[in-house]
């Protein structure tokens, strides 16, 4: 699931999930390095294909719910942002088919329109509307 959240929310992180908060990134290399470090990748080729491979595996992580939260991706160049959103969609669709993990991507609410426009205009993965939520429901019981 790809969701958008207010950055001043008060929800606490639950003990039964693996939740990372990726700080602001300025480019592809910065994003890949931070993800590799924070997700504890056992190896990494530092390219988009390697990212897909690892995000669709997580064999080294036994936690069911994995949340990749971004504090700010607005400084990521548009082509890299588009590619990363495409990867997030691929990963979310992949994990819909399997029960090992429940992977979520969280982005700031202020970036909803930019990302939604990519999905509706530029990304051709069929209907992705079920994967994109204007606000997160992760912590609503």
């Amino acid at each position: 699931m790809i969701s958008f959240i207010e950055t001043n929310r008060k929800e606490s992180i639950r003990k039964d999930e693996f939740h990372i908060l990726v700080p602001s990134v300025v480019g592809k290399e910065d994003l890949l390095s931070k993800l590799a470090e924070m997700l504890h990748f056992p190896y990494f080729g530092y390219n988009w294909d390697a990212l897909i491979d690892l995000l669709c595996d997580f064999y080294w992580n036994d936690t069911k719910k994995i949340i990749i939260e971004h504090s700010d991706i607005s400084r990521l160049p548009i082509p890299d942002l588009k590619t990363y959103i495409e990867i997030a969609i691929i990963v979310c669709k992949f994990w819909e088919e399997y029960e090992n993990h429940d992977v979520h991507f969280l982005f700031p609410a202020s970036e909803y329109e930019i990302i939604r426009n990519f999905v509706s205009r530029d990304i051709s993965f069929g209907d992705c509307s079920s994967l994109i939520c204007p606000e997160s429901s992760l912590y609503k019981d």
Side-chain angles (χ1 to χ4, degrees):
M1 176 73 62
I2 298 172
S3 300
F4 299 83
I5 54 171
E6 294 299 327
T7 55
N8 60 355
R9 72 187 198 293
K10 301 285 190 247
E11 294 92 356
S12 61
I13 295 172
R14 297 180 180 180
K15 293 178 183 175
D16 62 341
E17 63 191 26
F18 184 78
H19 188 139
I20 65 166
L21 177 58
V22 182
S24 180
V25 295
V26 295
K28 175 184 173 181
E29 294 77 19
D30 189 28
L31 173 64
L32 294 177
S33 293
K34 287 177 179 168
L35 288 172
E37 178 184 343
M38 298 181 84
L39 291 170
H40 309 293
F41 289 163
Y43 58 87
F44 192 44
Y46 292 91
N47 60 61
W48 294 127
D49 289 335
L51 182 63
I52 293 170
D53 290 345
L54 287 165
L55 292 178
C56 289
D57 194 338
F58 280 117
Y59 71 87
W60 65 96
N61 189 320
D62 292 333
T63 310
K64 176 146 176 91
K65 185 177 276 187
I66 298 172
I67 301 169
I68 302 167
E69 180 177 348
H70 291 273
S71 63
D72 177 19
I73 57 167
S74 64
R75 297 187 323 171
L76 195 60
I78 295 297
D80 292 334
L81 177 58
K82 181 182 172 201
T83 299
Y84 185 58
I85 299 306
E86 289 173 344
I87 289 170
I89 290 169
I90 290 168
V91 170
C92 290
K93 283 188 168 197
F94 176 85
W95 287 114
E96 280 185 337
E97 301 289 320
Y98 299 95
E99 296 181 11
N100 305 50
H101 297 288
D102 183 16
V103 179
H104 296 262
F105 291 82
L106 299 180
F107 297 97
S110 60
E111 296 169 1
Y112 174 73
E113 286 302 320
I114 293 168
I115 292 172
R116 185 72 183 117
N117 286 338
F118 283 152
V119 172
S120 63
R121 185 188 66 227
D122 298 330
I123 297 176
S124 57
F125 287 106
D127 182 18
C128 299
S129 58
S130 65
L131 296 175
I132 311 252
C133 294
E135 63 181 60
S136 176
S137 60
L138 280 177
Y139 299 110
K140 294 179 181 170
D141 292 323

